[in-house]
Amino acid sequence: MQLMAHRGYSSQAPENTLAAFKQAIDFGCQWIELDVQLTADQVPVVMHDKTLERCTDGAGQLTELTFSELTRYSAGNWFAPEFRDETVPSLAATLQLAKQHSVNLNIELKIYPGDDETLLCQRVAAVIDAAGIAKDQLLFSSFSVTALAVMQHIMPEIRRGLLWETMPVDAFEILENLDAFSVHCHYRYLDEQQAAAIKQRGYALYCYTPNQPLEVEAHWRWGVDMMITDKPHCYVIEETVSQDAVSKDAISRNES
Ligand code: G3P
Ligand code: MG
């Protein structure tokens, strides 16, 4: 069972912080998903929202703060006091952590209306080049076809995955044009036929963000390769429980 920690181990530590990434690594996740955007001074940082309010003790737009201004705020206190020293991490620091622990990163290129996709991609690519991390440890994903197309042009050796809440009618044309590696679908809107078509064409298939294993039991059978989840422990517990059930079943068969 392959699991990807969504925004790090975000049910146990503040999302998109080094603490959440370290907890995902300690838990044994081979993949971590994170969201990347630019600060006012064009530093790629790991943050989901356009504004600071939800996940920091600051306020306002991320794009109006320099990296140095941004890191004056706690990105962990909102979650629990023990994380008060966490700040919004740079992509550079996150790449160093991934390199050190040989964990794979799904870098979601987060585009909000008005963002400059090309600039984000160029700055992300520069940071990746400087990090000296193995390119096969990385995957770009985005809801923005434009951002993925820019990455295809400037960093073709890093795999690309399309994020879709619902698949568009021209999905396979888009995937082909982007020479995509994977399709990342919302687990609620993916159906068995779509999954079969994606797998039949040779793409990896991931689902976001199911936090209850029972909701995606069928999805594994449809061929989904990996779940992107805030709660990897729920899957491990469920797998252990079902393995226990199998062994108990075998014991009772042997005894009868
Ligand atoms: O990569 C899957 C997921 O992260 C996409 O949605 O809003 O959590 O970034 P969001
Ligand atoms: Mg994301």
Side-chain angles (χ1 to χ4, degrees), residues 6-7 16 33-35 48 106 108 110 141 143 163:
H6 180 240
R7 308 181 194 171
N16 282 329
E33 187 267 357
L34 56 95
D35 307 288
H48 179 275
N106 167 7
E108 183 185 340
K110 188 56 91 183
S141 64
F143 289 102
L163 267 163

Side-chain angles (χ1 to χ4, degrees), residues 4 6-7 15-16 33-35 48-49 54 106-108 110 112 141-143 163-164 184-186 207-209 228 230:
M4 183 184 292
H6 180 240
R7 308 181 194 171
E15 66 177 56
N16 282 329
E33 187 267 357
L34 56 95
D35 307 288
H48 179 275
D49 294 5
R54 185 176 63 87
N106 167 7
I107 300 173
E108 183 185 340
K110 188 56 91 183
Y112 287 103
S141 64
S142 191
F143 289 102
L163 267 163
W164 278 317
H184 309 193
C185 292
H186 193 299
C207 277
Y208 68 93
T209 311
I228 307 173
D230 303 327

